[in-house]
Amino acid sequence: MSVPQRNVLWTFFCCGLGVAMVSLDNLVVITALPSIRGDLGGSIQQLEWTVNAYTLTYAVLMLTGAALGDRFGRRRMFGAGLGVFAGASAAAALAPGIGALIAARAVQGLGAALLMPLNLTILTEVAPPRRRGALLGAMSAVEGVAIAMGPLLGGAVVEHLSWQWIFWINVPIGAVVLPVARWKLTESHGPSPRLDLVGTALASAGLFGIVFGIINGHADHWTSARVLLSLAGGAVVLTGFVVWELRTAFPMFPMKLFRHRTFSAMNAAGLLMFAGMFGSVFLLTQFLQGPRGYSPLEAGLRILPWTAVPVFVAPWAGLLSDRVGSRTIVALGLAFQAAGLGWIAVLVSPDVPYPSLVPAMVLCGLGMTFYFSPTANMVMTAVGAGERGMASGAINALRELGGVLGIAVLASVFSAHGGLSTPDTFTDGMVPAVWTGVALIACGALAVLLTPRRPHDGRSADPEAPVPGCVGDLV
């Protein structure tokens, strides 16, 4: 039975606002850290945990959020995640001290983990087959713009209001979207009749070990006992998770999904893209505010050539992907992103004229748009209808893991070659770090190019079935 167009638009409205709210919080807090320290105090390590606490719970619980949505209802868990996120945002704004802020940020990550893996599944369920690619592409563009706009919005809020408004802004969004979601979203469930508690526990514990080790790798040194034990323990537990999922009758995550080349390649590309992009954006915002001396708002405005491109190009990227194939557009986007970052690495210096960086940032924005627009449709149409919840959870979890990995790895490269003491030492560290980001994204492009081209690249004629010829295309 077809879904009325009005319900499709309401679904996009709810999911789009939810995605934008969560995605903004990935980077928006970074520009507010000096103001937060001035009001609440705290050490550098505690300030880092205002970012890491959110990232940790978000990345670790993403698959759990998808599993809960499949079992108890995706609309229900989407609403629960939205409510938790908005409530935790209010708690963060009212935090009397740095410890309370860190705790509120961890709860925000929990809400995000419940909300994010379900939005693509909910939208895919109601999108007409012929418009699904455009709708999922627009949703991906919303996510990309929100992530990239984080530094600008954070700078504007801190400079003209106060850092608390970074969190207060989420509360009215939640208050508007929650009743609309309950009224307009269609409820759906996954195929499993019961929740895989063992698999859920193993996935959460294993991801916690990996993410915790990555977060602490730079501060504690990658060879420290705590970091090595955390990474090794996480890897062992995740191995146990895979073994359990292959044997249990009702797996939390069907491992057969990774036998599909497109699904595996897009997850690998997502992890590498987010690693290179997040780490590079983090350093670029610090460069503009440090050696270049711009205020948070001025730095955010100067990243607009990067962040504004998706607003104008995303619709054309979706149309182009229908003509030449999603695989080609995604690979081209990753190549543009790598080339733009490489261009920045070649030019950057303490006295580099800002206008000379603009073409490189435009190229990065073009690459981000080409990557985001077709990706969701490629992943969601590569699997069966009952597996879309976990497919969305997987790609979101690996992207978030990539962001954590990128900031940690690029920060380590930065520290090994430079430092914060002078503009010269900053750029000495930034150049090899950004080149590392280029290499990661280039590997992502290679992973996409190695996937086989399909006749119906990224498009499905049947809303309940994967793309013809995809499921059989197994390794």
Side-chain angles (χ1 to χ4, degrees), residues 161-217:
L161 296 170
S162 68
W163 65 264
Q164 286 88 348
W165 280 98
I166 288 174
F167 303 110
W168 278 128
I169 197 172
N170 296 325
V171 178
I173 295 176
V176 169
V177 176
L178 265 174
V180 177
R182 184 169 181 80
W183 178 34
K184 289 295 185 181
L185 295 188
T186 302
E187 185 62 281
S188 62
H189 296 77
S192 178
R194 66 185 189 210
L195 184 64
D196 176 14
L197 293 175
V198 174
T200 301
L202 288 173
S204 300
L207 285 172
F208 180 87
I210 296 292
V211 177
F212 186 83
I214 291 173
I215 286 174
N216 287 283

Side-chain angles (χ1 to χ4, degrees), residues 197-275:
L197 293 175
V198 174
T200 301
L202 288 173
S204 300
L207 285 172
F208 180 87
I210 296 292
V211 177
F212 186 83
I214 291 173
I215 286 174
N216 287 283
H218 172 59
D220 293 352
H221 303 296
W222 293 98
T223 56
S224 69
R226 183 167 77 153
V227 170
L228 292 177
L229 285 173
S230 181
L231 293 173
V236 169
V237 174
L238 284 180
T239 302
F241 167 71
V242 173
V243 172
W244 171 263
E245 294 299 285
L246 290 171
R247 295 183 177 182
T248 185
F250 302 104
M252 167 196 178
F253 185 88
M255 287 295 150
K256 64 181 180 180
L257 292 180
F258 283 110
R259 295 167 57 198
H260 191 287
R261 291 185 182 181
T262 298
F263 182 81
S264 298
M266 294 310 297
N267 275 281
L271 185 146
L272 293 167
M273 167 67 171
F274 270 58

